[in-house]
Amino acid sequence: MLERIKLFLSKLDSSQPAHPAPIDFSAALGALMVEVMRADNDIAPDELKMITQLLKKHCQLDAKSCELIFAQAQQLVDEAIDLHRFVKVVNENTNEEERTEVIELLWMVAFADGKLDPQEDYTVRKLAGLMYVAHGDFIAAKLNVKKVLGLPD
């Protein structure tokens, strides 16, 4: 009986990779955007379009690369147990000002469908905390995005 348990555990151990494959900045950013998009359990076409536009513009991707990164981001989020892996990549590749810009991008996704769901708000707030974005910068980013998108305060 003990041998069967050892065999079972060794199979489990060998099937799990020791370290997940590294991800690049654009995939990590895409994963955070996907997480915000999915927060309210309602994936709007405007949110999908917004993520694509933001990835193209801010990661300098062509249409094909953008599609691949978006698909990879969705898969990464599906397989993730938390968001720390993505936040770590973003934090390691950005300074304080750039992290505030990332929060603006996340707000753009959250507001893409013209409304802000409380779960989207919570998700962006949580990510801002994990990215060490000051509360004042978090609020300023939110207000700036609302102004750019022409949404009421």
Side-chain angles (χ1 to χ4, degrees), residues 23-36 51 54-61 69-70 73-74 76-77 85-87 89-91 93-94 98-99 101-106 109 127 131:
I23 57 174
D24 65 2
F25 178 79
S26 56
L29 178 60
L32 295 179
M33 289 185 208
V34 167
E35 186 66 24
V36 171
I51 291 173
L54 294 174
L55 285 173
K56 280 181 187 175
K57 180 178 179 184
H58 294 279
C59 296
Q60 291 82 38
L61 300 172
I69 293 292
F70 184 69
Q74 288 182 305
L76 287 168
V77 171
R85 180 176 177 206
F86 314 126
V87 170
V89 171
V90 170
N91 284 349
N93 290 282
T94 57
E98 292 166 333
R99 285 192 294 275
E101 291 174 20
V102 169
I103 294 301
E104 282 191 10
L105 300 180
L106 299 178
V109 174
L127 290 170
M131 294 168 56

